[in-house]
Amino acid sequence: MYSEKVMDHFNNPRNVGEIENASGVGTVGNAKCGDIMRMYLDIDDNGIIQDCKFKTFGCGAAVATSSMATELVKGKTVQEALLVTNKAVMEALDGLPPVKVHCSLLAEEAIHAALWDYAEKHNIKIEGLEKPVNDISEKEEDEAEDY
Ligand code: FES
């Protein structure tokens, strides 16, 4: 049911933990399943993501997608990080079962929330970044229609 890549990232999640004095921190949850995700970003003066870590109280698919998402955003600019959508993460993981697609939204939204936090702290605007939601279950209905 799960690809080898999903199993690998679930069994050996990358970048689990916290970043002290992170440039941006974002926490989102899904009220329907009760899972919570927190992302930490370390962004340098040139707007490049040097490090990204996550902590989750979430299911296996949430762990695997967040692990992959942290790998994908590292080394990218904040603008490029917006292209790391849940779709991109799922492709990088060779897919997720349809019932688990919403879990990948938790990772995407937590990154957006951390970027939003960074932008607010630095008084900048990240083109294309919308104010994140705290509860992705409000959003998931519209986005799920794409699958
Ligand atoms: Fe809640 Fe996967 S079931 S994030």
Side-chain angles (χ1 to χ4, degrees):
M1 166 172 173
Y2 288 112
S3 74
E4 267 173 41
K5 283 191 189 160
V6 173
M7 289 313 291
D8 176 35
H9 278 264
F10 170 61
N11 287 319
N12 306 293
R14 288 30 156 207
N15 309 309
V16 174
E18 291 177 31
I19 297 176
E20 246 180 84
N21 302 319
S23 317
V25 183
T27 308
V28 296
N30 183 331
K32 275 196 203 152
C33 66
D35 291 349
I36 297 166
M37 177 74 58
R38 181 168 292 161
M39 285 279 176
Y40 300 81
L41 294 175
D42 179 21
I43 301 169
D44 70 13
D45 293 342
N46 299 318
I48 305 212
I49 299 171
Q50 294 294 344
D51 201 7
C52 178
K53 290 205 187 299
F54 78 97
K55 270 183 136 180
T56 189
F57 189 78
C59 72
V63 170
T65 48
S66 307
S67 167
M68 180 55 96
T70 56
E71 290 279 89
L72 291 176
V73 298
K74 268 204 218 175
K76 292 206 161 57
T77 64
V78 292
Q79 206 66 52
E80 289 165 347
L82 289 182
L83 301 177
V84 180
T85 59
N86 74 311
K87 245 182 170 162
V89 173
M90 285 194 298
E91 270 165 27
L93 285 170
D94 295 336
L96 272 182
V99 292
K100 287 285 169 185
V101 168
H102 75 273
C103 316
S104 62
L105 276 175
L106 207 54
E108 176 190 304
E109 206 56 36
I111 288 174
H112 288 180
L115 286 171
W116 186 268
D117 181 43
Y118 162 77
E120 277 202 324
K121 280 181 184 153
H122 291 77
N123 225 354
I124 56 169
K125 191 176 173 335
I126 300 175
E127 210 56 54
L129 178 64
E130 285 173 22
K131 194 171 177 15
V133 293
N134 293 325
D135 172 10
I136 64 134
S137 66
E138 292 166 13
K139 214 178 159 181
E140 110 201 2
E141 259 111 66
D142 330 328
E143 309 222 351
E145 282 168 18
D146 299 344
Y147 297 96

